[in-house]
Amino acid sequence: MIIPDSIHTRTLAQIKEKLFSLINFKAEEVKKTLITAALSRDSIENKAKEFEISPQTVRNYVSMGISFF
């Protein structure tokens, strides 16, 4: 992603904050998906559909090794 130098520092900080909040929201959904799949011994794909999140998104978060807990 290319960010022009002309963006005000405060605006850039707001953009970063919004992006991090989106990532954290998705991480919460991924966490719920993984936990409920493990507890119910169901597939991640089935549980992801219940939480209206893409199974690919869950796989991406897991493969990136994002710390959830």
Side-chain angles (χ1 to χ4, degrees):
M1 177 165 79
I2 299 172
I3 301 174
D5 293 334
S6 62
I7 293 180
H8 192 274
T9 305
R10 191 171 83 203
T11 304
L12 186 57
Q14 290 172 339
I15 292 170
K16 287 180 182 178
E17 183 178 320
K18 183 64 176 177
L19 288 173
F20 284 131
S21 70
L22 290 171
I23 290 170
N24 287 335
F25 174 75
K26 281 292 184 188
E28 286 298 316
E29 296 301 312
V30 169
K31 186 189 318 182
K32 289 177 190 176
T33 302
L34 292 172
I35 290 171
T36 56
L39 292 175
S40 64
R41 295 181 185 214
D42 199 355
S43 72
I44 291 172
E45 287 79 11
N46 288 339
K47 291 301 174 181
K49 290 176 189 173
E50 288 181 23
F51 288 106
E52 297 179 1
I53 187 171
S54 163
Q56 184 62 47
T57 301
V58 176
R59 286 189 290 273
N60 290 344
Y61 271 77
V62 171
S63 70
M64 290 181 344
I66 293 178
S67 175
F68 297 112
F69 306 101

